[in-house]
């Protein structure tokens, strides 16, 4: 049951091979017996899941046919869920049970999905390893001594370990794509504004974007269909028309021009990882695509640009956590100042505090022009690189990460080394583009992710290319040993 | 990648911490200062880029604001909101006495 | 030393929208605490702002009303600081690209002179909640109903030179925004709040002195008092050879003094940057034009029209045109009674006087425009005299009915029957032979005075109901006759 794709599960549910309740019980059973190895969930909602499954079964019995009706899924613990704790991986929100749903949560609830629980993540999505979580780190199902990537590491690990067929993630600088690559699953970061941010706890407002994490491109397309679209309550959500993202999956790749940015294949790329990427590209070439060398000259600047803009926005997005209306409040505050500083000092972890300080610095008087404004200018140059490239290619491809999953604890003491892990993913967020990570086989037993980047709102094309690759390869079906029991 | 250490002092960090309402334990100030200096050194690379007349980009789509019609759409949900509040009385959120 | 006072005002004006500037919560004043604070207003995690179109329209209306350039592109910024009444830890405001640019309007002083005051800018922002300092076990209670109410912050140039000018500025501004209908202007409910920037410089000097800012002064009277106090305070410092400290001060109405506030806090660094949850606000010139076309008549234009069309004095016109409800009332009276001058006189003297004495707003007046006009018609058609009219007005005020029924019930109709009047005139002349003799002996000038005595006697005899014009004519006639007899 847990090896079936979402389309197969939906078919089985409709043809009464098994019920959503049986499927849900099976998934919950796997989480109970296996997740102690991965720590991919922060909260498992057995009662809620079974109630949702029962209601989905009733709808199925009534002949309803939604593509996600009765399908179990997990939300990254950054999406607000009515009545179910939404911690964002932080002590600050350990006691936070929202009285409202995120738009993504609501849409998926309405689609009849069955929410199993909330997945682990870097605190407030700040991290690339899921090690900054207040609930302990998540481990990579392919090698539990390694990180699953982050910040959506819990969702990636849960999908990779076949605990759940579908999960949501968010991507501010690579937080869907990098863990998808490290865990050997398929993840899509949509165009900025494609998926509503309402009720998604904010890290960096101009970069954050929610998206699907699943085993295949087709499953991602099914999830994206349910969550994409204009939300009148999110000013930054786009009115660009939504398509059926499954419609183009079967198009042949003949004539597709794929740009390979020279900057993504240079120094710093692990050789074995590079080999896997080239092998995947060769498969696409065999299907009729043309590979074109391109350049994205400002790629290197995406790291400093991101590490100004993201912390700057985060530093003020996180000001609302003050111990007054919800969330953590320190014991017996002496005065107002003590209430603020102690609640925040005790409620936030080190990486969050570090980024708040950096962001506060970048916005402070006398530094704003040199840092924040400058970064916004460079951001435009970075986007222009892509726009120029898309004049001559349809999509861009390269590695998602410089190397495979690294060992737990190997980079926590050196934030800079951790930041450099994001070199291939950050520019996409700065430019607001859609991008995917697709499994490209194993290097030394660890998954490698192929990154596909498209023009704004061309998610359908990315899903098409990924799906076609998955028709001629079985990398996305490879499973980590321990999870396949 | 060459990363320079930027000069940033303990009292700069303490001032930032105060602005952000964070308290850094005295014994941790040196380490935090050091780490922040390293990060600032990384972002300092931007200073060498010639951005001339480039318009700063706040939004990747260069979209413009939609306007909402002026209608009351929210009901009173005080009970639900205050059920998750740390300290309330008579419908008010409580904080230690504010002195102007 | 002779000091010149330099004042600039920042007015925070609550806009009269139904819902908040960034959320769908209501803005009604006086609701139970936190019952009008929705998830957006409470800064719940993941909540996002969406801009209220009406707030933008109101800001544009204001800009057009002061002849300002409208920012076709304006940008919201975050102003970062921690305070319990500011749930997000930042206020969404406009910093570098406001919606309303430079403009101006004229103020009229009591001596009739007119001064043009520059407006630097006006921008949209959200109001904060309220801290209630009643005793909650030594804690402060926070009510966030007000959080997110749309504000227009209107910043003047430092063009004002006295408390009188500052008050005139505020009254003119009040009149402008209420005429536009963009704010209720209710100062007691905090719809219009004022920060005063004040400095002194030696008379004739060009350079500005160091200023102090006095926060949140909430009535015209307090503005006047706070300014007087602050002038005195700064003059004392400067004359003693000291220096004014640039700081924020609070006007304490109870003690009638200003005092330094937030002095303990470190210098604020608001870290303004463009609000990433909102996009640049881009409005079309055609939209601005359509707003301009539907703008109500503004007080200044109305005043000119009242002078030109109704022949009012500049003073009467400015009183009657200042506030739209009063101007509308006045024009309704004119329309029904057909005489602009008598209407102006009665609205200003009798109506406003009664409202003042009864401490009522115009909207609460027991006499409406139609009823007043009906009364004035009776004066105009000679049915009653102006003096009797005042009696009738008082009775109307007391709820005794309309003018005609009161005149009827009290038998106040003016006596215009010449036979009856002739008899009264004869009676008075007969009863006062001494005065008649004096009159006949007097010259033209003195005669005029003496005739007043007879008129008074006749009016008394008629219980005030004699038609004064007819009395005059008949009296002159009979006295002339009496003189004729005497001469023969």
């Amino acid at each position: 049951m847990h090896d079936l794709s979402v389309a197969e599960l939906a078919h089985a549910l409709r043809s009464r091979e098994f019920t959503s309740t049986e499927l849900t019980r099976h998934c919950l059973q796997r989480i109970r017996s296996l997740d102690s190895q991965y720590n991919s969930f922060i909260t498992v909602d057995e009662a809620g899941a079974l109630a949702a499954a029962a209601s989905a079964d009733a709808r199925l019995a009534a002949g309803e046919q939604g593509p996600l009706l009765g399908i179990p899924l997990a939300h990254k613990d950054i999406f607000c869920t009515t009545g179910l704790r939404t911690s964002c991986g932080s002590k600050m929100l350990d006691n936070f049970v929202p009285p409202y749903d995120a738009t993504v949560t609501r849409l998926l609830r309405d689609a009849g999905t069955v929410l199993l629980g909330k997945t682990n993540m870097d605190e407030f999505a700040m991290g690339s390893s899921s090690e900054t979580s207040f609930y302990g780190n998540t481990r990579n199902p392919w090698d539990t001594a390694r990180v699953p990537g982050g910040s959506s590491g819990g969702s990636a690990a849960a999908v990779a370990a076949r605990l759940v067929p579908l999960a949501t993630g968010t991507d501010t600088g690579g937080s869907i794509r990098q863990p998808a690559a490290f865990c050997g699953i398929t993840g899509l970061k949509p165009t900025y504004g494609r998926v509503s941010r309402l009720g998604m706890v904010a890290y960096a407002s101009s970069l954050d974007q929610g998206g699907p994490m699943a085993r295949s491109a087709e499953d991602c397309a099914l999830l994206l269909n349910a969550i994409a679209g204009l939300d009148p309550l999110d000013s930054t959500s786009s009115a660009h028309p939504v398509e059926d993202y499954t419609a183009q999956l079967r198009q042949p790749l003949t004539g597709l021009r794929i740009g390979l940015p020279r900057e993504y294949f240079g120094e710093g790329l692990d050789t074995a990882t590079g080999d896997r990427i080239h092998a995947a590209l060769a498969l696409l070439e065999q299907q009729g695509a043309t590979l074109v060398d391109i350049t994205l000259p400002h790629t290197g600047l995406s790291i400093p640009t991101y590490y100004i803009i993201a912390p700057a926005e985060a530093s003020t997005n996180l000001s609302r956590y003050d111990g007054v209306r919800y969330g953590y409040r320190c014991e017996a505050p002496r005065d107002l100042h003590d209430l603020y500083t102690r609640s925040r000092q005790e409620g936030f972890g080190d990486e969050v505090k570090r980024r708040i300080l950096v962001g506060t610095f970048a916005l402070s008087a006398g530094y704003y022009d040199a840092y924040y404004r400058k970064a916004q200018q460079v951001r435009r140059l970075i986007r222009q690189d892509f726009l120029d490239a898309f004049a001559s290619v349809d999509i861009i491809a390269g590695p998602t990460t410089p190397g495979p999953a690294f060992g737990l604890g190997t980079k926590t003491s050196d934030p800079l080394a951790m930041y450099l892990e994001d070199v291939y993913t950050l520019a996409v967020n700065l430019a607001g583009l859609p991008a995917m990570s697709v499994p490209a086989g194993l290097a030394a037993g660890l998954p490698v992710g192929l990154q596909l980047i498209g023009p704004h709102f061309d998610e359908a094309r990315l899903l098409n290319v990924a799906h076609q690759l998955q028709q001629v390869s079985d990398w996305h079906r490879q499973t980590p040993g321990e999870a396949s029991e | 990648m060459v990363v320079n250490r930027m000069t940033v002092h303990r009292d700069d960090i303490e001032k930032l911490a105060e602005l952000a309402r964070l308290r850094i334990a005295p014994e941790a100030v040196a380490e935090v200062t050091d780490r922040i200096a390293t990060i600032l050194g990384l972002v300092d690379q931007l200073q060498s880029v010639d951005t001339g007349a480039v318009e700063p980009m706040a939004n990747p789509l260069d979209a413009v604001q939609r306007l909402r019609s002026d209608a009351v759409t929210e009901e009173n949900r005080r009970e639900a909101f205050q059920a998750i509040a740390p300290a309330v009385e008579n419908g008010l959120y409580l904080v230690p006495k504010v002195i102007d | 030393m002779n000091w010149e006072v330099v004042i600039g005002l920042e007015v925070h004006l609550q806009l009269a929208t139904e819902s908040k500037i960034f959320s769908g919560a209501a803005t009604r004043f006086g609701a139970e605490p936190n019952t009008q604070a929705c998830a957006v207003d409470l800064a719940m995690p993941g909540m996002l702002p969406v801009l209220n179109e009406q707030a933008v329209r109101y800001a544009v209306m204001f800009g057009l009303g002061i002849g300002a350039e409208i920012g076709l592109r304006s940008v919201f910024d975050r102003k970062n600081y921690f305070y319990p009444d500011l749930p997000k830890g930042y206020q969404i405001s406009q910093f570098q690209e406001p919606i309303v640019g430079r403009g101006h309007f004229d103020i009229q002083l009591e001596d009739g002179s007119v001064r043009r005051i520059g407006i630097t800018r006006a921008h949209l922002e959200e109001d904060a909640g309220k801290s209630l300092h009643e005793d909650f076990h030594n804690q402060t209670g926070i009510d966030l109903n007000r959080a997110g109410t749309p504000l227009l912050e209107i910043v003047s140039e430092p063009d004002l030179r006295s408390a009188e000018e500052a008050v005139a500025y505020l009254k003119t501004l009040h009149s402008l925004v209420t005429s536009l209908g963009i704010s209720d202007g209710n100062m007691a409910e905090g719809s219009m709040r004022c920060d005063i920037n004040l400095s002194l410089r030696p008379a004739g000097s060009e350079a500005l002195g160091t200023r102090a800012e006095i926060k949140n002064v909430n009535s015209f009277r307090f503005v006047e008092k706070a300014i007087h106090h602050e002038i005195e305070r700064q003059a004392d410092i400067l004359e003693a050879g000291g220096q004014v400290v640039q700081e924020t001060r609070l006007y304490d109405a109870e003690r009638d003094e200003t005092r330094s506030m937030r002095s303990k806090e470190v210098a604020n660094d608001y870290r303004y940057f463009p609000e990433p949850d909102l996009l640049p606000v881009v409005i079309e010139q055609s939209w601005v034009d359509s707003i301009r076309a539907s703008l109500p008549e503004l007080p200044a234009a109305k005043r000119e029209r009242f002078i030109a069309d109704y022949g009012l004095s500049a003073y009467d016109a400015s009183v009657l045109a200042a506030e739209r409800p009063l101007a509308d009332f006045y024009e309704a009276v004119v329309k029904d009674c057909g005489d602009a001058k008598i209407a102006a006189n009665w609205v200003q003297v009798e109506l406003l006087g009664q409202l003042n004495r009864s401490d009522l707003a115009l909207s609460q007046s027991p006499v409406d425009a139609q009823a007043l006009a009906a009364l004035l018609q009776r004066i105009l058609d000679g049915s009653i005299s102006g003096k009797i009219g005042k009696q009738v007005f008082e009775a109307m005020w007391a709820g005794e009915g309309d003018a005609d029924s009161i005149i009827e019930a009290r038998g106040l109709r003016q006596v215009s029957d010449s036979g009856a009047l002739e008899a009264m005139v004869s009676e008075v002349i007969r009863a006062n032979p001494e005065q008649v003799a004096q009159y006949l002996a007097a010259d033209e000038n003195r005669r005029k005075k003496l005739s007043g005595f007879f008129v008074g006697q006749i009016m008394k005899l008629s219980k005030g109901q004699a038609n004064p014009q007819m009395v005059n004519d008949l009296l002159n006639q009979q006295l002339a006759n009496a003189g004729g007899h005497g001469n023969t």
Side-chain angles (χ1 to χ4, degrees):
Chain A
M1 220 183 260
H2 56 266
D3 284 323
L4 299 177
S5 74
V6 172
E8 288 163 342
L9 288 171
H11 183 266
L13 289 171
R14 280 198 294 270
S15 57
R16 312 284 206 284
E17 282 171 48
F18 45 79
T19 63
S20 175
T21 302
E22 285 163 344
L23 175 60
T24 300
R25 283 193 198 286
H26 178 73
C27 290
L28 290 170
Q29 173 55 37
R30 282 181 65 79
I31 294 169
R32 264 199 305 273
S33 61
L34 296 172
D35 197 42
S36 56
Q37 303 171 59
Y38 316 123
N39 193 30
S40 66
F41 278 85
I42 290 174
T43 306
V44 178
D45 182 18
E46 298 211 359
L50 290 169
S55 131
D57 282 330
R59 286 167 69 177
L60 282 160
E64 221 181 297
Q65 301 233 331
L68 296 179
L69 183 54
I71 303 292
L73 94 176
H75 284 310
K76 183 177 184 178
D77 205 15
I78 199 169
F79 290 98
C80 287
T81 42
T82 305
L84 188 62
R85 175 176 63 183
T86 301
S87 75
C88 224
S90 182
K91 179 180 179 184
M92 185 60 88
L93 293 178
D94 181 48
N95 61 1
F96 178 63
V97 179
Y100 52 89
D101 272 338
T103 298
V104 164
T105 314
R106 177 176 55 78
L107 291 171
L108 288 168
R109 215 187 272 281
D110 294 348
T113 60
V114 174
L115 178 61
L116 300 180
K118 310 290 292 288
T119 58
N120 206 352
M121 57 182 287
D122 281 298
E123 183 180 5
F124 284 101
M126 297 180 189
S128 312
S129 68
S130 300
E131 291 174 288
T132 69
S133 171
F134 173 64
Y135 301 92
N137 61 279
T138 298
R139 286 175 291 277
N140 192 319
W142 292 84
D143 177 352
T144 51
R146 291 176 188 268
V147 303
S151 63
S152 313
S155 286
V159 171
R162 271 51 177 172
L163 306 181
V164 60
L166 272 183
T168 55
T170 62
D171 191 318
T172 306
S175 282
I176 286 176
R177 290 160 289 155
Q178 184 250 26
F182 280 7
C183 292
I185 66 162
T186 307
L188 168 64
K189 179 207 104 70
T191 306
Y192 180 81
R194 178 73 302 172
V195 172
S196 169
R197 295 189 296 115
L198 185 82
M200 196 178 98
V201 181
Y203 161 21
S205 305
S206 76
L207 301 166
D208 293 344
Q209 183 61 204
M213 302 178 80
R215 294 203 292 268
S216 68
E218 185 178 22
D219 290 358
C220 284
L222 288 168
L223 183 49
L224 184 61
N225 271 349
I227 61 174
L230 174 68
D231 182 352
L233 297 179
D234 172 2
S235 297
T236 61
S237 111
S238 174
H240 191 93
V242 178
E243 9 183 346
D244 173 358
Y245 295 102
T246 61
Q248 282 189 49
L249 291 177
R250 279 153 199 91
Q251 270 189 15
L253 301 187
T254 322
L256 181 78
R257 294 163 303 167
I258 302 179
L260 308 182
R262 137 180 0 137
E263 293 79 8
Y264 285 39
F265 291 91
E267 197 193 338
L269 176 62
D270 165 65
T271 316
T273 300
D275 290 347
R276 295 308 319 147
I277 298 302
H278 285 297
L281 291 170
L283 275 185
L284 292 174
E285 220 176 357
Q286 281 170 26
Q287 289 178 286
T290 317
L291 304 182
V292 185
D293 284 324
I294 60 162
T295 177
L296 299 171
H298 295 95
T299 298
L301 292 174
S302 60
I303 298 179
T305 302
Y306 177 87
Y307 280 100
I308 289 169
I309 293 172
E313 293 181 3
S315 71
T316 98
N317 279 337
L318 271 59
S319 293
R320 64 189 59 199
Y321 306 107
D322 58 5
V324 177
R325 297 165 313 284
Y326 50 80
Y328 180 77
R329 182 189 186 111
C330 66
E331 287 291 325
R334 282 191 311 280
D335 53 31
L336 183 65
H337 190 266
D338 188 46
L339 168 69
Y340 285 156
T341 52
R342 209 144 48 80
S343 297
R344 291 166 62 79
Q345 180 62 23
E346 294 166 9
F348 290 138
D350 287 343
E351 181 62 19
V352 169
K353 282 183 275 199
R354 195 148 47 227
R355 293 196 194 190
I356 289 174
L357 290 175
V358 170
T360 303
F361 174 84
L363 293 176
S364 60
Y367 295 104
Y368 175 83
D369 283 344
Y371 286 93
Y372 190 77
R373 192 167 185 283
K374 186 87 174 178
Q376 295 284 44
Q377 289 179 304
V378 176
R379 185 173 182 184
R380 189 173 291 279
L381 299 177
I382 290 169
R383 185 183 64 166
Q384 196 56 47
D385 281 358
F386 285 103
L387 298 183
D388 292 346
F390 286 126
S392 56
V393 300
D394 300 307
I395 66 162
I396 291 169
T400 306
T401 60
F406 48 87
L408 288 167
T410 56
K411 300 200 180 190
T412 40
S413 58
D414 183 357
L416 222 52
M418 190 80 89
Y419 295 177
L420 296 178
E421 276 295 308
D422 304 328
V423 62
Y424 303 140
T425 50
L426 296 177
V428 160
N429 298 81
L430 292 167
L433 299 167
M436 293 186 74
S437 183
V438 186
L442 305 180
L446 292 170
V448 168
L450 169 71
Q451 183 173 214
L452 305 174
I453 304 167
H456 291 122
F457 299 107
D458 212 355
E459 286 83 0
R461 177 68 73 109
L462 296 180
L463 289 161
N464 165 228
V465 175
H467 182 72
Q468 289 305 310
L469 180 66
Q470 291 176 345
Q471 299 310 295
V472 296
S473 66
D474 65 354
W475 297 319
H476 62 294
R477 291 204 191 85
Q478 291 180 320
T479 50
E482 294 155 283
S484 59
E485 295 147 19
Chain B
M1 186 176 298
V2 184
V3 169
N4 295 315
R5 290 283 313 280
M6 194 184 149
T7 335
V8 52
H9 300 289
R10 284 180 77 105
D11 34 335
D12 297 329
I13 297 297
E14 277 165 356
K15 215 177 88 191
L16 290 177
E18 173 56 26
L19 274 176
R21 296 296 185 273
L22 293 171
R23 181 176 299 158
I24 302 174
E27 63 276 14
V29 174
E31 193 214 339
V32 172
T33 306
D34 194 57
R35 286 194 169 202
I36 301 285
T38 311
I39 297 167
L40 294 178
L42 167 78
V43 301
D44 233 21
Q45 291 174 65
L46 286 190
Q47 303 315 318
S48 61
V49 187
D50 178 14
T51 45
V54 177
E55 174 79 8
M57 187 176 96
N59 175 272
L61 301 176
D62 285 331
V64 300
Q65 181 62 34
R66 277 191 308 274
L67 301 178
R68 177 177 67 76
S69 67
D70 181 25
V72 175
T73 53
E74 299 297 321
E75 303 168 346
N76 170 23
R77 297 189 63 204
R78 184 174 81 179
E79 205 174 319
F81 291 133
Q82 296 200 339
I84 55 170
V88 287
E89 192 172 310
N90 297 339
L92 297 163
Y93 292 96
L94 294 188
V95 297
K97 197 154 193 73
V98 175
I99 306 141
D100 267 325
Chain C
M1 172 116 39
N2 204 358
W3 301 104
E4 183 180 36
V5 180
V6 178
I7 299 169
L9 297 179
E10 288 169 23
V11 171
H12 288 87
L13 183 74
Q14 286 186 341
L15 298 176
T17 55
E18 295 294 318
S19 65
K20 296 198 174 164
I21 183 167
F22 300 123
S23 82
T27 54
R28 199 164 48 85
F29 180 81
E32 282 292 299
N34 292 308
T35 56
Q36 289 179 169
C38 71
V40 173
D41 307 324
L42 295 171
M44 288 281 165
M47 287 298 120
L48 297 169
V50 186
L51 182 58
N52 184 336
E53 181 183 29
Q54 189 74 332
V56 178
R57 180 180 288 111
Y58 285 166
V60 170
M61 286 170 75
F62 177 77
L64 294 173
I66 60 161
E69 196 168 302
I70 304 301
L72 294 180
R73 182 183 190 276
S74 62
V75 172
F76 282 96
D77 297 282
R78 290 185 182 177
K79 177 183 183 181
N80 293 283
Y81 64 96
F82 283 89
Y83 208 70
D85 62 15
L86 188 71
K88 294 188 293 296
Y90 54 84
Q91 179 193 32
I92 304 178
S93 181
Q94 295 188 312
F95 184 52
Q96 279 183 331
E97 299 179 65
I99 186 152
V100 176
R102 196 168 283 273
H104 60 80
F105 59 82
D106 292 340
I107 62 170
Q108 193 170 30
L109 303 175
E110 271 177 28
D111 65 6
S113 63
V114 170
R115 285 206 56 204
R116 174 153 290 189
I117 306 299
I119 302 296
T120 315
R121 57 181 284 164
H123 65 256
L124 284 167
E125 61 184 28
E126 57 181 337
D127 208 344
K130 280 181 184 166
S131 303
L132 304 171
H133 302 285
E134 290 119 58
D135 193 23
F136 293 104
H137 334 293
N138 213 26
Q139 307 205 70
T140 292
I142 308 295
D143 175 9
L144 296 171
N145 280 348
R146 197 178 69 177
T149 298
L151 292 180
L152 190 65
E153 179 173 333
I154 301 157
V155 183
S156 86
E157 292 286 296
D159 285 350
L160 301 159
R161 293 289 172 269
S162 66
E164 187 205 351
E165 290 189 8
V167 171
Y169 168 88
L170 290 172
K171 287 187 170 165
T172 309
L173 180 62
H174 185 272
S175 143
L176 176 65
V177 301
T178 51
S179 297
L180 285 167
I182 64 173
S183 175
D184 65 18
N186 189 330
M187 291 183 91
E189 291 180 359
S191 300
M192 189 169 156
R193 314 194 291 271
C194 184
D195 297 345
I196 304 162
N197 284 299
L198 189 150
S199 65
L200 299 186
R201 64 182 171 194
S205 160
E206 280 294 311
L208 290 170
T210 307
R211 65 189 166 84
E213 183 181 19
I214 310 165
K215 280 271 183 209
N216 256 329
V217 193
N218 295 337
S219 79
F220 296 140
R221 200 163 58 87
F222 289 161
V223 166
E224 194 176 350
K225 291 180 116 178
I227 288 175
H228 286 313
H229 274 273
E230 187 57 20
I231 292 171
E232 216 170 286
R233 190 188 70 89
Q234 291 191 17
D236 286 351
I237 293 172
L238 294 171
E239 270 157 28
Q243 286 191 324
V244 173
V245 182
Q246 181 161 346
E247 62 178 353
T248 302
R249 301 180 67 83
L250 191 72
Y251 177 69
D252 183 334
E254 269 171 41
R255 296 194 210 164
D256 195 14
E257 62 178 25
T258 69
R259 62 166 189 273
S260 187
M261 70 188 280
R262 293 178 189 174
S263 53
K264 298 180 292 276
E265 254 184 66
V266 285
N268 273 320
D269 179 349
Y270 290 125
R271 289 159 284 139
Y272 283 102
F273 79 110
E275 159 62 293
D277 288 332
L278 290 168
L279 302 171
V281 181
V282 175
I283 55 181
E284 302 288 332
Q285 184 61 48
S286 58
W287 192 57
V288 175
D289 292 341
S290 75
I291 292 173
R292 192 197 307 273
S294 62
L295 229 45
E297 185 183 32
L298 298 181
K302 195 173 290 231
R303 191 176 62 230
E304 294 312 308
R305 182 166 62 83
F306 282 9
I307 292 170
D309 292 5
Y310 299 144
L312 300 187
S313 71
Y315 177 80
D316 286 357
S318 63
V319 170
L320 291 170
E323 302 289 346
R324 195 158 83 184
L326 182 64
D328 290 349
F329 191 104
Y330 167 66
E331 293 208 87
V333 175
V334 174
K335 184 168 160 275
D336 279 13
C337 83
D339 187 313
K341 283 192 177 156
I342 192 171
N345 192 30
W346 275 74
V347 168
Q348 284 185 88
V349 179
E350 301 307 324
L351 178 79
L352 290 184
Q354 277 288 9
L355 288 171
N356 232 338
R357 283 190 291 279
S358 330
D359 200 20
L360 291 177
L362 180 60
S363 59
Q364 300 166 301
S365 169
V367 177
D368 66 15
Q370 286 66 39
L372 177 57
L375 167 61
L376 299 187
Q377 273 172 337
R378 291 295 158 263
I379 295 173
L380 288 165
D381 69 13
S383 303
I384 56 170
S385 67
K387 202 169 168 191
I388 292 291
K390 289 175 191 178
Q391 271 182 50
V392 176
F393 183 73
E394 275 174 29
M396 289 164 72
W397 194 267
E400 292 177 26
D402 61 26
D404 284 342
S405 58
I406 291 168
I407 292 168
E408 240 14 88
R410 295 194 177 184
L412 296 174
R413 190 164 293 275
Q414 190 160 262
V415 177
S416 303
D417 171 343
S418 55
L421 285 179
E422 228 168 309
M424 281 189 237
V425 172
S426 305
E427 190 184 330
V428 168
I429 286 178
R430 260 201 316 277
N432 298 285
E434 253 174 64
Q435 281 78 1
V436 172
Q438 277 176 20
Y439 176 90
L440 292 175
D443 61 14
E444 270 306 302
N445 270 337
R446 214 169 126 62
R447 277 186 173 189
K448 271 186 187 159
K449 277 190 187 168
L450 288 166
S451 73
F453 164 79
F454 297 108
V455 172
Q457 292 298 308
I458 297 161
M459 291 313 267
K460 203 169 162 187
L461 199 63
S462 74
K463 299 195 184 93
Q465 286 167 256
N467 180 325
Q469 193 51 52
M470 288 178 75
V471 167
N472 264 329
D473 292 348
L474 291 167
L475 181 67
N476 285 340
Q477 218 178 324
Q478 293 205 18
L479 285 171
N481 288 344
H485 287 298
N487 281 347
T488 44

